[in-house]
Amino acid sequence: MLLEAAITNLVQDVRTHKLRAALTVCGIAWGTVGVVLLLALGQGVKQRTMARQHGMGDGIVVMWPGRTTRAYGGHGTWRPIRLRAEDILRLPEEIPELETATPEYQWQATVANGSIARSLHVAGVYPAYRDLRHMFPQPGGRFINDKDLADRRRVVFLGDLAARELFGVRDPLGRSVRVDREIFTVIGTLRAKRQAGNYGGADAWKVLIPASTFRAVFNQERPDVFVYRSVSPALHEEASHKVRATLGRWYHFDPADHGALISWDTTESNRFWRYFFRAFNVLMGVSGTCTLIVGGIGVASLMYITVHERTPEIGIMLAVGARPRDVLAQFLLEALLLTLTGGAAGLAMAWLIKTWVAGAPFAEQLGAPMITPWIVVTSILLLGVIGTMAGWFPARQAAAMDPVQALEYAP
């Protein structure tokens, strides 16, 4: 009954003040568009950025041996640290918090298919490298396995862009390429992925061969870099501390000497981006809410005018027994209905704009806006709060009227 009366009165008020009501609804709609699109843009940029961070690998640390910057254990400064692959591989045995660690060898070599030759980054890796660095093969192919490593096979795993550069649209699986003067058989190509950071170039352009084959071909015994991951995020810091302590003990350098081992911790990068986007979404939400508040002021203005024009009606209601809270509820409900009508129109407009932007060329790089359920719920809650605040003061004024004074305005 209350809802029916509120809808009837709202329709009459809109007919009486067509222009003012239209402007009020447009203000709420535009404010809703601002809230939804700003939050959706933040969500889209966040998803695209985190997907690129994910392309490097989850929870991994990339570490390079460097030179000591502190004297330690009778050794001077600027001593180069040259790690052995077997020491890196046995780190998980020494450190229970460590899931896996794998060495990586690096070289810049000429990779050719017939007359097509390119200078590409060649890396010698172990099978564990696939999961650590998200180097997953396209269907039909495979990654380097233990048998390749044991037999020093001349097999190669190509980045997707490297494969396209060398073979064009042809399927490279089973075909041969030359890495410097050696012939290798292609066993797999990288499944395309987004990647924010890299070392030695983007993975899409890399050429991977078994580490044992790399050592034989390029006559390089010491790895250039290694990658590791802890068994869980909660043990990440402890595992990293023990990696430095263990290698410091084996190679006689101060574990606190960050020049001896230079690291890139993707967990720290991901943590930074999570905090950044949390603050970014709050900023976007506040900016959109400010626009929505302007629309709420329009609702309050219209409701004040409505209360003034319906003063005799309010007096009659109170005189025949209506309670002040009944009057309060009716006008408050009218304000909410007006606000939610504009909000529904704004949500529809935001969805159409989001759909158009998602197909724009820049969306691939920046990230397409994403209207998620929590954005819709947040917007509805904001509309409810602003509608309640916009209607509360006019409704309270109506409920506080003296029936005798209100009836004096009756024609």
Side-chain angles (χ1 to χ4, degrees), residues 194-239:
R194 299 187 182 101
Q195 184 179 352
N198 66 76
Y199 58 95
D203 291 343
W205 288 99
K206 286 187 177 179
V207 175
L208 307 182
I209 64 176
S212 57
T213 308
F214 186 100
R215 290 196 298 266
V217 171
F218 297 107
N219 193 28
Q220 180 178 328
E221 287 298 323
R222 304 280 182 155
D224 298 283
V225 63
F226 70 98
V227 185
Y228 68 84
R229 181 169 60 200
S230 61
V231 295
S232 72
L235 298 173
H236 178 78
E237 289 189 11
E238 185 176 356

Side-chain angles (χ1 to χ4, degrees), residues 213-328:
T213 308
F214 186 100
R215 290 196 298 266
V217 171
F218 297 107
N219 193 28
Q220 180 178 328
E221 287 298 323
R222 304 280 182 155
D224 298 283
V225 63
F226 70 98
V227 185
Y228 68 84
R229 181 169 60 200
S230 61
V231 295
S232 72
L235 298 173
H236 178 78
E237 289 189 11
E238 185 176 356
S240 295
H241 174 76
K242 287 187 176 181
V243 166
R244 287 187 174 273
T246 301
L247 291 176
R249 186 174 72 251
W250 290 349
Y251 290 88
H252 311 292
F253 65 83
D254 186 349
D257 186 352
H258 289 275
L261 292 175
I262 303 164
S263 64
W264 174 16
D265 191 337
T266 62
T267 301
E268 293 296 329
S269 300
N270 290 338
R271 184 181 296 119
F272 164 79
W273 284 112
R274 282 197 300 271
Y275 286 132
F276 173 83
F277 281 111
R278 192 174 299 170
F280 184 73
N281 283 333
V282 169
L283 177 62
M284 294 294 99
V286 169
S287 300
T289 301
C290 291
T291 307
L292 194 55
I293 288 173
V294 174
I297 293 173
V299 173
S301 175
L302 181 61
M303 292 307 299
Y304 271 117
I305 294 173
T306 300
V307 168
H308 177 74
E309 292 181 346
R310 288 167 56 185
T311 298
E313 177 190 331
I314 295 168
I316 294 172
M317 290 174 61
L318 294 171
V320 298
R323 295 170 295 183
R325 66 182 183 185
D326 296 329
V327 176
L328 178 72

Side-chain angles (χ1 to χ4, degrees), residues 19 30 49 110 118 125 139 149 170 187 200 211 219 231 237 253 272 301 324 338-339 361 382 398 407:
L19 179 59
W30 182 247
T49 302
T110 300
R118 297 291 183 269
V125 299
L149 201 68
R170 291 178 300 166
I187 58 171
N219 193 28
V231 295
E237 289 189 11
F253 65 83
F272 164 79
S301 175
L338 185 62
T339 303
L382 277 173
L407 287 172

